[in-house]
């Protein structure tokens, strides 16, 4: 398995800066899947699939902020201050919700990207905040925004608390609690990410997201699988879930479809991957009625 000490250190440094603040961070994206993989291995869980891929490397840190933090924005002042103290710079085209920490000597190589994300726009209805498809703007302003992810309708449900430990940039050991999204939430994020990137060569044609989808299914334990089925039943008439079903039907319902092709093209793909079981599981969770 790939180790990602730089990203681990970056998150630990941020958690250390927030040690006296009441901010619970939800870690999504590729690093969240990496951490879920580690948790499964360390706790020796029985999972849905026996064949699991190696966790892929990433230089992105996706932090999901609970809506209440943006609605009561003074709670986020410590996060804004920590991002500044740790040397992150605003990415101009995504000002206040995407940041980058340059590599050694200010180089692009070895840089780390920080994305601030949050729940769907609907979570902020009637709360008096300025919200559009790109950003949620806290009021009063605190110097950071968050990008709403309209597909993560289950963001705050069934979060997994995990003890996260390692060494700070100062070489001091540190441990804090983080939260990982439920597999159902991760599947929704990755299905829509795959759809957006399938024809984009700059984003590896969605191969990473296809691999992530397999990983999420493979890493589930039995209770999580049942919770996914419950989510699927409860939310089956939601537009986001219907669209997710369309993505699965068009891209992941047979081995010759684009999603499976992208998965088989990934450098981490192995012939022993359990593709029929993967196809069946996705189809059961996101079946078009």
């Amino acid at each position: 398995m790939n180790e990602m000490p730089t990203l681990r250190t970056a998150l630990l440094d941020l958690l250390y800066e927030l040690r006296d603040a009441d901010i619970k961070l939800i870690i999504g994206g590729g690093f969240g899947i990496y951490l879920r993989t580690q948790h499964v291995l360390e706790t020796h869980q029985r999972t849905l699939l026996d064949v699991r891929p190696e966790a892929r490397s990433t230089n992105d840190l996706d932090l999901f902020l609970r809506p209440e933090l943006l609605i009561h924005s003074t709670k986020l002042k410590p996060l804004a201050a920590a991002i500044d103290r740790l040397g992150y710079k605003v990415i101009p085209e995504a000002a206040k919700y995407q940041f980058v920490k340059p590599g050694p000597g200010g180089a692009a190589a070895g840089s780390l990207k920080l994305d601030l994300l949050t729940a769907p726009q609907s979570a902020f209805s009637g709360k008096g905040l300025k919200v559009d498809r790109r950003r949620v703007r806290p009021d009063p302003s605190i110097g950071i925004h968050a990008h709403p992810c309209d597909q993560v309708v289950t963001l705050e449900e069934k979060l997994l608390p995990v003890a996260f430990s390692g060494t700070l940039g100062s070489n001091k050991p540190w441990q804090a609690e983080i939260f990982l999204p439920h597999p159902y939430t991760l599947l929704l994020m990755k299905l829509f990410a795959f759809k957006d990137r399938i024809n984009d060569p700059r984003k590896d044609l969605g191969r990473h997201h296809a691999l992530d989808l397999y990983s999420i299914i493979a890493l589930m334990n039995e209770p999580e699988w049942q919770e996914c089925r419950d989510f699927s039943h409860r939310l089956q008439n939601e537009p986001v879930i219907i669209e997710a079903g369309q993505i699965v039907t068009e891209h992941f319902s047979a081995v010759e479809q684009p999603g499976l092709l992208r998965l088989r093209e990934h450098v981490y793909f192995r012939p022993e991957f359990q593709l029929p079981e993967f196809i069946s599981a996705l189809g059961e969770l996101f079946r078009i009625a």
Side-chain angles (χ1 to χ4, degrees):
M1 178 182 296
N2 289 321
E3 288 295 331
M4 292 182 274
T6 304
L7 201 55
R8 177 177 289 273
T9 299
L11 179 54
L12 282 166
D13 284 344
L14 184 60
L15 291 166
Y16 181 78
E17 293 290 331
L18 298 175
R19 62 193 181 280
D20 296 323
D22 184 21
I23 299 177
K24 296 178 175 62
L25 296 179
I26 303 170
I27 313 301
F31 193 52
I33 295 172
Y34 170 85
L35 294 175
R36 179 170 284 275
T37 302
Q38 279 200 322
H39 176 73
V40 166
L41 293 175
E42 290 169 0
T43 53
H44 306 288
Q45 295 184 29
R46 182 177 180 181
T47 56
L48 199 61
L49 302 182
D50 297 325
V51 182
R52 302 185 292 261
E54 181 179 358
R56 66 179 180 88
S57 299
T58 178
N59 68 341
D60 293 357
L61 188 55
D62 292 348
L63 303 182
F64 278 88
L65 305 178
R66 290 179 170 91
E68 66 178 50
L69 293 173
L70 294 154
I71 294 167
H72 305 288
S73 59
T74 54
K75 295 180 180 180
L76 280 176
K77 286 183 177 180
L79 177 60
I83 290 171
D84 184 59
R85 281 197 302 271
L86 291 170
Y88 288 91
K89 308 299 181 185
V90 169
I91 296 177
E93 58 269 27
K96 297 188 179 182
Y97 65 86
Q98 288 186 353
F99 303 82
V100 64
K101 187 171 186 176
S111 63
L112 296 174
K113 184 166 168 279
L114 176 65
D115 284 6
L116 300 182
L117 308 161
T118 191
Q121 296 177 62
S122 59
F124 303 94
S125 179
K127 302 300 182 182
L129 276 63
K130 293 182 179 179
V131 179
D132 57 38
R133 65 181 183 82
R134 290 194 66 195
R135 66 184 74 234
V136 177
R137 299 167 174 84
D139 184 18
S141 175
I142 53 164
I144 58 174
H145 297 164
H147 175 67
C149 296
D150 287 339
Q151 68 270 31
V152 293
V153 292
T154 54
L155 176 63
E156 296 189 85
E157 298 192 52
K158 304 288 185 180
L159 293 167
L160 176 66
V162 173
F164 182 66
S165 62
T167 304
L168 300 171
S170 63
N171 290 322
K172 174 183 177 180
W174 187 253
Q175 177 174 303
E177 187 176 58
I178 58 171
F179 293 84
L180 301 180
H182 192 272
Y184 193 81
T185 304
L186 290 171
L187 288 172
L188 287 170
M189 285 191 281
K190 291 300 177 177
L191 282 169
F192 282 87
F194 177 83
K195 177 190 173 186
D196 291 343
R197 291 160 176 81
I198 185 172
N199 295 315
D200 188 348
R202 297 170 302 173
K203 300 294 184 180
D204 203 34
L205 301 174
R207 294 185 185 98
H208 291 323
H209 301 298
L211 180 79
D212 288 342
L213 284 164
Y214 181 92
S215 297
I216 296 162
I217 291 290
L219 290 167
M220 273 192 230
N221 59 34
E222 185 60 35
E224 289 170 338
W225 170 249
Q226 186 56 54
E227 289 161 359
C228 282
R229 294 180 66 190
D230 293 343
F231 282 138
S232 181
H233 178 73
R234 172 163 63 89
L235 301 170
Q236 61 183 318
N237 295 321
E238 292 288 330
V240 165
I241 307 305
I242 294 171
E243 187 174 355
Q246 293 168 344
I247 297 169
V248 170
T249 298
E250 293 173 13
H251 298 296
F252 291 97
S253 60
V255 291
E256 67 275 8
Q257 288 187 323
L260 276 296
L261 174 62
R262 295 290 188 263
L263 173 58
R264 297 199 302 275
E265 291 171 345
H266 200 284
V267 66
Y268 287 174
F269 177 77
R270 304 198 308 274
E272 60 267 31
F273 277 14
Q274 298 166 263
L275 296 185
E277 291 85 352
F278 167 64
I279 292 169
S280 175
L282 265 185
E284 183 170 348
L285 295 180
F286 300 102
R287 183 182 296 109
I288 294 180

